[in-house]
Each structure stands twice: as C-alpha cells, then as structure tokens.
Amino acid sequence: MSRPHNFKDLTGERFGRLVVVEYAGFKTQPSGQRKTLWKGVCDWGNEHTVMADTLNSGNGKSCGCLAKELTSQRKKTHGMRDTPT
C-alpha cells in the first residue's frame, strides 16, 4: 500500500484501551482529502479500524466498549434494585 508523504508510524502505540497493530490503508473523504487508517486491538481483544486523526485528537480510545461502559455507569442509580432499602 502506498503511504502519504507525511506518514507517522503509530504501530505499537497505545491510545486509551486501543493498541495500534498495523497500517490499514487510507480513506478518501468526499472533499478528496485522504485520511490514514490504522487497525487496533482493544484490551477486550476486539479489532477496530480508526482514522489517525481520531487517535491523535484523543477521541479514539477503544473499540466502542468504553462508551458502552460509561453510558452504563451514568444510567446506574445505586445498584440496589429489589432490596428492602
């Protein structure tokens, strides 16, 4: 695969729960701009392909498991359902 001239190898770097394992090519945006893609493996073992911009901005931290976990924590009130209290 051809790589852009400003290519920065992210292999082996950790972004939150995601560890980058390999270069996954690029995606062409509707504007014609090419975005570099990376394949990562989450701590849970799930593979996820994400744009380099997303990783570098701090927005790509997991395969999606982190968002599910945070949503679950926000919705939980006290965890004492069906108890006498």
Side-chain angles (χ1 to χ4, degrees):
M1 284 183 223
S2 82
R3 296 179 177 172
H5 64 70
N6 58 350
F7 181 80
K8 179 184 175 196
D9 191 1
L10 300 178
T11 305
E13 290 193 36
R14 175 175 284 277
F15 297 89
R17 296 181 179 185
L18 203 62
V19 176
V20 177
V21 291
E22 68 182 15
Y23 174 70
F26 63 90
K27 176 181 181 179
T28 304
Q29 300 291 88
S31 65
Q33 187 177 20
R34 289 173 31 155
K35 300 286 186 173
T36 305
L37 298 173
W38 291 95
K39 185 186 294 183
V41 176
C42 185
D43 290 346
W44 288 45
N46 299 324
E47 288 188 359
H48 185 66
T49 302
V50 64
M51 289 188 295
D53 292 357
T54 303
L55 293 172
N56 291 324
S57 69
N59 292 325
K61 297 178 182 175
S62 74
C63 63
C65 62
L66 181 59
K68 290 176 191 172
E69 186 176 306
L70 293 174
T71 300
S72 174
Q73 287 175 1
R74 280 193 299 268
K75 289 187 175 204
K76 187 174 183 178
T77 53
H78 51 69
M80 300 294 290
R81 182 176 177 183
D82 297 329
T83 61
T85 313

